[in-house]
Amino acid sequence: MKIGNYTISVIEAGDFGLDGGAMFGVVPKNLWSKVYNIGDEQNRIPMVTRCLLLTSPERTIVVDTGCGTKLSEKLQKIYKIDYSHNSLLSSLANHGVKPEDVTDVILTHLHFDHAGGATFFENGESVPTFNKAKYYIQKDHLAWARNPTEKDRASFFIENWEPIISNGMMEILDGDGELFTGISVHQFNGHTKSLQMVKITDGNKTLVFPADLFPTSAHIPVPFIMGYDNFPLTAMDEKRKILPQIADEEWIVCFEHDAFTPAGRVIRTEKGFSLGMKVEL
Ligand SMILES: [Zn+2]
């Protein structure tokens, strides 16, 4: 798909699974099971780590990086991490992109399933995966990640971002704004502090990558929020505020963790909002 100067592709960076109950918070299984696969015998629902590739004649931009290759075997098992179908680098290679071609990496936030692929172990040392790129994170999120609460501490591993900062490759953003013509970032605070949603628009067509604000298409309805969210009422407010605009302006929403629906439009229903048409990128 093309928007403005950019060709937009989804980059599948591996499969994983999280507890269905945790993914749907207070929504009972007999409701969420109508809109999402109920998963395996350990109650882990099928999920993916989907990233975006935005290419123009000048830039090759990656948004989020999946779980990466640094997790212990124990954690890989817990989270059912599976690279047998695809991985960040194999999917980029399928699009003719080598790590050194990437000019920019926008990290929505630093939870390991978004930032794990930002670095990799080389001779036992964590180094940036994209050695010529500039990486971007929000200042308030970085502060949160460096001093996490007990609630989301298990999702933060400093080897995913500190080597990028110490190499001088991280641009620490302070607020919303346009990063490049037609590409802007917008903060949300419900899931974690200062997660940045990426928006690509040419004034006519708009695509958003909201990360864990809408992790799957089943999370479109306002009350369908995750047990993982640090500030659930804030997450609901943020969804309530943005959904009318998403629906009425026919934005395409890319769902980072949805194993079945990579992207789609949102429609109004008598009960609120839900997935409309799926969209192929
Ligand atoms: Zn997250």
Side-chain angles (χ1 to χ4, degrees):
M1 168 173 290
K2 261 207 107 168
I3 296 182
N5 247 345
Y6 289 91
T7 302
I8 300 174
S9 317
V10 287
I11 292 294
E12 305 288 347
D15 304 331
F16 74 130
L18 292 178
D19 186 272
M23 279 302 290
F24 288 99
V26 297
V27 179
K29 190 172 184 178
N30 51 22
L31 288 186
W32 67 253
S33 62
K34 292 187 178 132
V35 288
Y36 207 84
N37 184 293
I38 59 163
D40 66 11
E41 70 293 340
Q42 290 186 39
N43 207 34
R44 294 171 300 186
I45 61 171
M47 293 171 61
V48 298
T49 50
R50 181 172 292 115
C51 311
L52 275 189
L53 172 65
L54 314 173
T55 52
S56 74
E58 295 82 33
R59 314 208 82 85
T60 300
I61 304 169
V62 172
V63 182
D64 277 355
T65 61
C67 297
T69 52
K70 303 186 303 304
L71 286 174
S72 68
E73 230 164 84
K74 182 181 160 190
L75 288 177
Q76 289 182 47
K77 259 196 198 140
I78 290 175
Y79 297 122
K80 211 178 182 176
I81 289 170
D82 175 6
Y83 293 121
S84 62
H85 300 112
N86 48 59
S87 69
L88 176 63
L89 296 187
S90 72
S91 294
L92 285 171
N94 288 341
H95 285 81
V97 175
K98 297 189 285 298
E100 60 268 29
D101 299 335
V102 174
T103 57
D104 304 275
V105 181
I106 305 173
L107 297 170
T108 61
H109 62 303
L110 296 170
H111 286 161
F112 71 83
D113 50 326
H114 301 256
T119 59
F120 70 105
F121 282 139
E122 192 177 57
N123 305 319
E125 196 192 335
S126 178
V127 297
T129 306
F130 304 103
N131 59 1
K132 298 224 171 76
K134 193 182 260 186
Y135 290 68
Y136 304 84
I137 192 70
Q138 284 290 334
K139 174 172 143 256
D140 289 350
H141 182 68
L142 178 62
W144 177 270
R146 281 174 158 170
N147 189 19
T149 62
E150 275 182 314
K151 192 164 192 309
D152 64 348
R153 179 174 297 162
S155 295
F156 289 120
F157 300 96
I158 59 169
E159 62 268 29
N160 289 339
W161 69 83
E162 292 298 340
I164 300 168
I165 294 172
S166 53
N167 282 5
M169 291 166 69
M170 186 77 90
E171 184 151 332
I172 299 167
L173 305 172
D174 190 4
D176 298 356
E178 196 168 54
L179 277 189
F180 311 106
T181 305
I183 301 181
S184 55
V185 293
H186 307 264
Q187 293 171 94
F188 291 88
N189 292 292
H191 175 62
T192 184
K193 184 78 191 149
S194 288
L195 172 154
Q196 52 184 352
M197 174 181 87
V198 179
K199 180 174 169 189
I200 305 112
T201 187
D202 60 6
N204 195 9
K205 206 187 286 176
T206 299
L207 178 140
V208 288
F209 191 81
D212 288 342
L213 183 63
F214 295 102
T216 77
S217 59
H219 289 85
I220 292 171
V222 171
F224 281 56
I225 53 165
M226 296 188 282
Y228 297 110
D229 290 342
N230 282 280
F231 306 101
L233 293 175
T234 306
M236 290 172 77
D237 269 347
E238 290 172 339
K239 287 170 69 173
R240 200 179 291 116
K241 260 184 215 141
I242 200 172
L243 277 165
Q245 194 177 14
I246 291 178
D248 297 344
E249 296 182 8
E250 300 182 353
W251 294 1
I252 298 160
V253 181
C254 185
F255 302 105
E256 187 160 5
H257 293 315
D258 195 314
F260 312 99
T261 306
R265 290 203 169 82
V266 172
I267 50 166
R268 288 173 183 267
T269 66
E270 65 280 10
K271 283 188 191 156
F273 295 91
S274 72
L275 178 68
M277 228 180 24
K278 291 191 186 190
V279 175
E280 288 274 337
L281 293 188

